[in-house]
Each structure stands twice: as structure tokens, then as C-alpha cells.
Amino acid sequence: MADRVVLAVDQGTTSTRSIVFDRGGRLVSVRQREHRQFFPRPGWVEHDPMEIWANTQRTAAQALRDAASSAGEVVALGIANQRETTVVWERATGRPVTRAIVWQDTRTADLVARLSSRPDAAVVRERSGMDIAGYFAGPRLRWVLDHVPRARERAEAGELLFGTMETWLVWNLTGGPDGGVHVTDVTNASRTSLMDCRSCTWDPVLLDFFGIPAALLPEIRPSVGQLGTATALGSPIPITGTLGDQQAALFGQACFTPGEAKCTYGTGSFLLQNTGTELVRTRSGSISTVAYQLAGEPVHYALEGSVAVAGALVQWLRDGLGLIATAPEIETLARTVADNGGCYVVPAFSGLLAPHWRGEARGLVAGLTSYVTKGHLARAVLEATGWQTRDVVLAMAADSGLQLPSLRVDGGMTTNNLLMQFVADVLDTPVVRPMVGETVSLGAAYAAGLAVGLWADVEALRRNWHRSAQWSPVPRRAAQLAAEYPTWEKAVRLSIAWGAD
């Protein structure tokens, strides 16, 4: 008899993937489809929610067909999604009132500045656990209400619905205008700045601060548990897990113990560290966020450090400067030299995120001399990702006091052995890559399967985790980099000062 399987939908920033996983956490089938990126003005980034919904239906149906001959019953559906991307649509028709405003979008900068200057602004950090920032969904929702004709009036009348991408997909999967379930999970709700981070409920004080009518908000549910039944994919499938993509990666990496951490290295990098069931109040630039919640159990929290530019810096070296033809060539070029030649690259293309949170910072290359070659520049580009990881880890350690036993990594940049060794050395901590690289999708599958008993508990998920590669720190090199770190910090300060002038 064929083993039971789980369908996972990974709705990301550039594409939607549907993957079928078996009980061993192995990939059975996968389909992927990209969606268009819209840039109507400088700093604006938008997606078409209807296109994403169509891609979800198409990839899910294809993945299920591909798996039909070898897999057993599909017992659950889990969803992981790009966080903070904001969708507002009509309850009666399912039509979005505007395109989705993507997490990378910066149009709310002026609004955020005005809100931050209010005398009661501290209430946002006190209640949501986060500072006021355009990075989160709340200011984007406020922007829609302020700028789309009649949006506020219709929202207050209950005619409009709001959600991040998992809410939009669940609503459509469960019927849309014909009885669709309007829900979110605690991880995505925590990224709006509208949720009380302790009670995990919408906070009336925060809704009043941001000017958000409660009528258009989804119901907040645990990450692992019954959300609804998908009826739009043929046979009904229970939807039993939803997580923001970075929390899904934490779940997929089996980081269930306080102190365990993962970092996803892609266009940017996102480091999350499990801090257990107690919320850590941050002071050093990391973010307190919800990690996950199992139905009937306490919320688990995490510290997060988001870095805007990691792999995007390699793309700049390739497309902007033409020093390499393909991204993997950077490792070969960087290995032509023994060190960075005194050169440092601070990739603040649109400011710096964690732990600095300085939107005015601008990118720079520091330490240039006639000795520096393109090999040194390539190495400095890779090292920038490692230095930024150290910035985040030090901030987290200052806030939580938790030791980092190792760093579990995933994402496209983890195939670069030179970079991964540098990260291990600069953190003086082992860096480990798992056998299954699709950790976001796997985390969504784990959440859904756990809810229906496909896996008994999180320890069963932990037993599924297997290492494919490990980079151990070299003590002498780690000591050298610790001594070199103040030079990197100096370059960061110059980056901030340059943008401020």
C-alpha cells in the first residue's frame, strides 16, 4: 500500500511551488511557476494576486497528478508564504481592489515617519514586539485604505477583506466568495504590527494607532491545526498548516529547542533563532517574532534578523559589473586570492535592515588600493554576507543570552563552500546544511502532516532531519576574523554616515 503524503504550497516572492512529500520527508513531485513583478514607481513592488492564485491551482494540480501513480492518499495541505505582502479584496466577488503590495515595497516611508513621530509611538513596540517599520504589513494596509478610492468606507462596512498571501490562498481554496474561510496563522499575523505578541489576538490599541478597521481582518489561528478544507483542487484536502516562509524554514530545519537557529541565504538572508515559549524583548536590533504554534499548545517565539542583500550582491557583481558570467563563478574568482586585500563591501543598496535599521544607509566599497584585484572584490562580496550574519548573531546573543550550538543553513548560496566556511569561521560556530534543501516547503508539509497524525510529534520530525554537509570553524582563522570585525563595523558606520549627509 502506498504511503500517505502531504501537499505543500510554497508561495514565494518570485514564484509559486507545489511539492508532494512522503512520510520520510522525501520529495515525491514538484511543480513551479513564476509570476510577474510590477514596478510602477521607484521603490514600489507589486504582484497580481489573481495570477498567483491561478499559479497555485495549476502547480498544485500538476504536482498531485505527477504523484498519483506512486503516492498514496493526500491527507493534508500546508502553505508557506512570502510574509508581509498585503492583499485587499472584495468579500462578495474575490476581486482585489489593487495589486498586492510586496514586502520589498518602500512606498510607506513617509507614513512610517509620521507614525514614528507620534508621542504614543512606543505602544507599537510594547504591544507588537516590533518597531514601526514599512517592512511590516500594517503600514501597507493603512496605505491601501488611504489611497484606494472608497477603500476605508468599504472596509468599515465589511465589504473588503485583508490578508497576507496565505490568507488569500486559503480563502480561495475553501470557496472564495462562496463560503471561503478568512483566516491567518500566528506567524503571519505577527508580521502585521497589529497583533498583541503575548495574547496573539488583534490588539484594539494597535488597530486604533494604525487606523485599521477590525471588520476586514482574518481570524488568527495556530500554525498547526485545522484551518479549512480545500475544495478547489478536485478531491477535498484538509488545510492543516500555514506558516510564514521563514518560520516554515525554521520548522523544516527541526529547530524546536531554544537556541537552535537557521539561516536562509537567498536574495537576502533571514536568520531565526528559537527562544522557546517566553517572548524576548529586544534591545540590540533583532526582532521578536512568533516562531509557530501547535493547536492547544503555547506559542513558541523566535528572534529574527533580516538582511536585505546577500545573493543580490552576487547578482550585482554579475549583472552590474560584469565580473562573472554566472553566479557560481564567484567562488572560483574569489579563490584566486588568499584574502580580501583590505577591501570591504557594505551592500546597503536600499538601506540596512537588522540589526542597524538605517534606511538612509547607502552601499559602499571601502579600503580600495591599487593592490585590490577583481579576485579581492569577489571575496569581499562573499564576505559581506558572512559579516552581516555575524552582526545579526551578536545582536541576538545580546538580547537572548542563548548559545548558538550550530547554524543550520539553506538556500541557494549554501552551495558556495568558500562562503559557508567563512560563515563558520566568522561565527566560530559549525554551519550545517540538511539533506533536503526545500526547507520552506518541508516546514509547511511538516506542519500540515503533524496536525493529522502523519507524524506523531516534533521529535519524529527531528528524526527526519539529516545532515548533508558541515563546515567547522578553524580556530586560528576565527580569531583573525574576530580581530578584523571592527574594520567591518567601521565600514558600516561609513555607509550610514554617507547616506545621512
PDB file of all heavy atoms in Angstrom, residues 431-450:
ATOM      1  N   VAL A 431      28.562  25.208  10.864  1.00  0.00           N
ATOM      2  CA  VAL A 431      27.491  25.504   9.914  1.00  0.00           C
ATOM      3  C   VAL A 431      27.094  24.189   9.251  1.00  0.00           C
ATOM      4  O   VAL A 431      27.958  23.456   8.759  1.00  0.00           O
ATOM      5  CB  VAL A 431      27.948  26.539   8.872  1.00  0.00           C
ATOM      6  CG1 VAL A 431      26.929  26.683   7.749  1.00  0.00           C
ATOM      7  CG2 VAL A 431      28.206  27.888   9.541  1.00  0.00           C
ATOM      8  N   VAL A 432      25.791  23.897   9.238  1.00  0.00           N
ATOM      9  CA  VAL A 432      25.320  22.587   8.793  1.00  0.00           C
ATOM     10  C   VAL A 432      24.215  22.760   7.760  1.00  0.00           C
ATOM     11  O   VAL A 432      23.282  23.545   7.953  1.00  0.00           O
ATOM     12  CB  VAL A 432      24.776  21.761   9.986  1.00  0.00           C
ATOM     13  CG1 VAL A 432      24.484  20.331   9.542  1.00  0.00           C
ATOM     14  CG2 VAL A 432      25.770  21.762  11.136  1.00  0.00           C
ATOM     15  N   ARG A 433      24.322  21.994   6.671  1.00  0.00           N
ATOM     16  CA  ARG A 433      23.301  22.005   5.614  1.00  0.00           C
ATOM     17  C   ARG A 433      22.575  20.659   5.611  1.00  0.00           C
ATOM     18  O   ARG A 433      23.208  19.616   5.691  1.00  0.00           O
ATOM     19  CB  ARG A 433      23.944  22.251   4.251  1.00  0.00           C
ATOM     20  CG  ARG A 433      22.952  22.452   3.100  1.00  0.00           C
ATOM     21  CD  ARG A 433      23.688  22.735   1.796  1.00  0.00           C
ATOM     22  NE  ARG A 433      24.472  21.579   1.365  1.00  0.00           N
ATOM     23  CZ  ARG A 433      25.563  21.665   0.610  1.00  0.00           C
ATOM     24  NH1 ARG A 433      26.027  22.853   0.242  1.00  0.00           N
ATOM     25  NH2 ARG A 433      26.206  20.577   0.242  1.00  0.00           N
ATOM     26  N   PRO A 434      21.225  20.672   5.525  1.00  0.00           N
ATOM     27  CA  PRO A 434      20.476  19.412   5.585  1.00  0.00           C
ATOM     28  C   PRO A 434      20.423  18.691   4.243  1.00  0.00           C
ATOM     29  O   PRO A 434      20.733  19.257   3.193  1.00  0.00           O
ATOM     30  CB  PRO A 434      19.082  19.873   6.011  1.00  0.00           C
ATOM     31  CG  PRO A 434      18.948  21.220   5.365  1.00  0.00           C
ATOM     32  CD  PRO A 434      20.335  21.836   5.438  1.00  0.00           C
ATOM     33  N   MET A 435      19.980  17.442   4.289  1.00  0.00           N
ATOM     34  CA  MET A 435      19.828  16.661   3.068  1.00  0.00           C
ATOM     35  C   MET A 435      18.749  17.256   2.162  1.00  0.00           C
ATOM     36  O   MET A 435      18.917  17.342   0.948  1.00  0.00           O
ATOM     37  CB  MET A 435      19.458  15.219   3.417  1.00  0.00           C
ATOM     38  CG  MET A 435      20.589  14.420   4.043  1.00  0.00           C
ATOM     39  SD  MET A 435      21.890  14.001   2.855  1.00  0.00           S
ATOM     40  CE  MET A 435      21.029  12.849   1.802  1.00  0.00           C
ATOM     41  N   VAL A 436      17.627  17.647   2.766  1.00  0.00           N
ATOM     42  CA  VAL A 436      16.514  18.224   1.989  1.00  0.00           C
ATOM     43  C   VAL A 436      16.672  19.732   1.967  1.00  0.00           C
ATOM     44  O   VAL A 436      16.577  20.393   3.007  1.00  0.00           O
ATOM     45  CB  VAL A 436      15.151  17.832   2.591  1.00  0.00           C
ATOM     46  CG1 VAL A 436      14.014  18.474   1.798  1.00  0.00           C
ATOM     47  CG2 VAL A 436      14.995  16.312   2.601  1.00  0.00           C
ATOM     48  N   GLY A 437      16.933  20.274   0.789  1.00  0.00           N
ATOM     49  CA  GLY A 437      17.151  21.708   0.686  1.00  0.00           C
ATOM     50  C   GLY A 437      15.879  22.525   0.670  1.00  0.00           C
ATOM     51  O   GLY A 437      15.905  23.728   0.921  1.00  0.00           O
ATOM     52  N   GLU A 438      14.750  21.900   0.356  1.00  0.00           N
ATOM     53  CA  GLU A 438      13.472  22.622   0.256  1.00  0.00           C
ATOM     54  C   GLU A 438      12.859  22.802   1.649  1.00  0.00           C
ATOM     55  O   GLU A 438      11.764  22.310   1.949  1.00  0.00           O
ATOM     56  CB  GLU A 438      12.514  21.849  -0.655  1.00  0.00           C
ATOM     57  CG  GLU A 438      13.082  21.522  -2.020  1.00  0.00           C
ATOM     58  CD  GLU A 438      13.258  22.757  -2.883  1.00  0.00           C
ATOM     59  OE1 GLU A 438      12.699  23.812  -2.519  1.00  0.00           O
ATOM     60  OE2 GLU A 438      13.939  22.683  -3.909  1.00  0.00           O
ATOM     61  N   THR A 439      13.552  23.513   2.520  1.00  0.00           N
ATOM     62  CA  THR A 439      13.139  23.556   3.922  1.00  0.00           C
ATOM     63  C   THR A 439      11.854  24.348   4.149  1.00  0.00           C
ATOM     64  O   THR A 439      11.100  24.051   5.070  1.00  0.00           O
ATOM     65  CB  THR A 439      14.260  24.141   4.797  1.00  0.00           C
ATOM     66  OG1 THR A 439      14.594  25.441   4.311  1.00  0.00           O
ATOM     67  CG2 THR A 439      15.488  23.251   4.769  1.00  0.00           C
ATOM     68  N   VAL A 440      11.596  25.368   3.329  1.00  0.00           N
ATOM     69  CA  VAL A 440      10.357  26.135   3.477  1.00  0.00           C
ATOM     70  C   VAL A 440       9.150  25.241   3.176  1.00  0.00           C
ATOM     71  O   VAL A 440       8.203  25.140   3.963  1.00  0.00           O
ATOM     72  CB  VAL A 440      10.371  27.377   2.571  1.00  0.00           C
ATOM     73  CG1 VAL A 440       9.005  28.052   2.569  1.00  0.00           C
ATOM     74  CG2 VAL A 440      11.438  28.357   3.019  1.00  0.00           C
ATOM     75  N   SER A 441       9.186  24.580   2.015  1.00  0.00           N
ATOM     76  CA  SER A 441       8.097  23.681   1.638  1.00  0.00           C
ATOM     77  C   SER A 441       7.981  22.527   2.626  1.00  0.00           C
ATOM     78  O   SER A 441       6.867  22.123   2.998  1.00  0.00           O
ATOM     79  CB  SER A 441       8.329  23.134   0.227  1.00  0.00           C
ATOM     80  OG  SER A 441       8.470  24.171  -0.708  1.00  0.00           O
ATOM     81  N   LEU A 442       9.123  21.995   3.061  1.00  0.00           N
ATOM     82  CA  LEU A 442       9.103  20.880   4.005  1.00  0.00           C
ATOM     83  C   LEU A 442       8.483  21.303   5.328  1.00  0.00           C
ATOM     84  O   LEU A 442       7.727  20.547   5.945  1.00  0.00           O
ATOM     85  CB  LEU A 442      10.523  20.352   4.224  1.00  0.00           C
ATOM     86  CG  LEU A 442      10.664  19.126   5.124  1.00  0.00           C
ATOM     87  CD1 LEU A 442       9.882  17.945   4.563  1.00  0.00           C
ATOM     88  CD2 LEU A 442      12.137  18.768   5.302  1.00  0.00           C
ATOM     89  N   GLY A 443       8.785  22.523   5.779  1.00  0.00           N
ATOM     90  CA  GLY A 443       8.193  23.021   7.008  1.00  0.00           C
ATOM     91  C   GLY A 443       6.684  23.113   6.916  1.00  0.00           C
ATOM     92  O   GLY A 443       5.963  22.767   7.869  1.00  0.00           O
ATOM     93  N   ALA A 444       6.169  23.575   5.771  1.00  0.00           N
ATOM     94  CA  ALA A 444       4.722  23.624   5.573  1.00  0.00           C
ATOM     95  C   ALA A 444       4.124  22.227   5.582  1.00  0.00           C
ATOM     96  O   ALA A 444       3.049  21.998   6.159  1.00  0.00           O
ATOM     97  CB  ALA A 444       4.397  24.335   4.261  1.00  0.00           C
ATOM     98  N   ALA A 445       4.816  21.289   4.937  1.00  0.00           N
ATOM     99  CA  ALA A 445       4.341  19.907   4.930  1.00  0.00           C
ATOM    100  C   ALA A 445       4.361  19.308   6.329  1.00  0.00           C
ATOM    101  O   ALA A 445       3.419  18.613   6.735  1.00  0.00           O
ATOM    102  CB  ALA A 445       5.210  19.076   3.983  1.00  0.00           C
ATOM    103  N   TYR A 446       5.435  19.550   7.070  1.00  0.00           N
ATOM    104  CA  TYR A 446       5.517  19.043   8.445  1.00  0.00           C
ATOM    105  C   TYR A 446       4.366  19.567   9.296  1.00  0.00           C
ATOM    106  O   TYR A 446       3.750  18.828  10.067  1.00  0.00           O
ATOM    107  CB  TYR A 446       6.842  19.457   9.079  1.00  0.00           C
ATOM    108  CG  TYR A 446       8.025  18.584   8.733  1.00  0.00           C
ATOM    109  CD1 TYR A 446       9.329  19.000   9.030  1.00  0.00           C
ATOM    110  CD2 TYR A 446       7.871  17.345   8.143  1.00  0.00           C
ATOM    111  CE1 TYR A 446      10.427  18.203   8.740  1.00  0.00           C
ATOM    112  CE2 TYR A 446       8.976  16.548   7.840  1.00  0.00           C
ATOM    113  CZ  TYR A 446      10.245  16.986   8.149  1.00  0.00           C
ATOM    114  OH  TYR A 446      11.328  16.195   7.869  1.00  0.00           O
ATOM    115  N   ALA A 447       4.091  20.871   9.191  1.00  0.00           N
ATOM    116  CA  ALA A 447       3.017  21.467   9.988  1.00  0.00           C
ATOM    117  C   ALA A 447       1.683  20.809   9.671  1.00  0.00           C
ATOM    118  O   ALA A 447       0.916  20.446  10.574  1.00  0.00           O
ATOM    119  CB  ALA A 447       2.950  22.973   9.738  1.00  0.00           C
ATOM    120  N   ALA A 448       1.402  20.639   8.375  1.00  0.00           N
ATOM    121  CA  ALA A 448       0.124  20.048   7.973  1.00  0.00           C
ATOM    122  C   ALA A 448       0.039  18.580   8.379  1.00  0.00           C
ATOM    123  O   ALA A 448      -0.991  18.118   8.884  1.00  0.00           O
ATOM    124  CB  ALA A 448      -0.051  20.193   6.463  1.00  0.00           C
ATOM    125  N   GLY A 449       1.114  17.830   8.155  1.00  0.00           N
ATOM    126  CA  GLY A 449       1.104  16.405   8.480  1.00  0.00           C
ATOM    127  C   GLY A 449       1.049  16.146   9.965  1.00  0.00           C
ATOM    128  O   GLY A 449       0.429  15.159  10.413  1.00  0.00           O
ATOM    129  N   LEU A 450       1.681  17.011  10.742  1.00  0.00           N
ATOM    130  CA  LEU A 450       1.650  16.869  12.198  1.00  0.00           C
ATOM    131  C   LEU A 450       0.214  17.001  12.714  1.00  0.00           C
ATOM    132  O   LEU A 450      -0.207  16.284  13.633  1.00  0.00           O
ATOM    133  CB  LEU A 450       2.552  17.925  12.821  1.00  0.00           C
ATOM    134  CG  LEU A 450       2.954  17.777  14.291  1.00  0.00           C
ATOM    135  CD1 LEU A 450       3.749  16.511  14.514  1.00  0.00           C
ATOM    136  CD2 LEU A 450       3.774  18.995  14.730  1.00  0.00           C
TER     137      LEU A 450
END
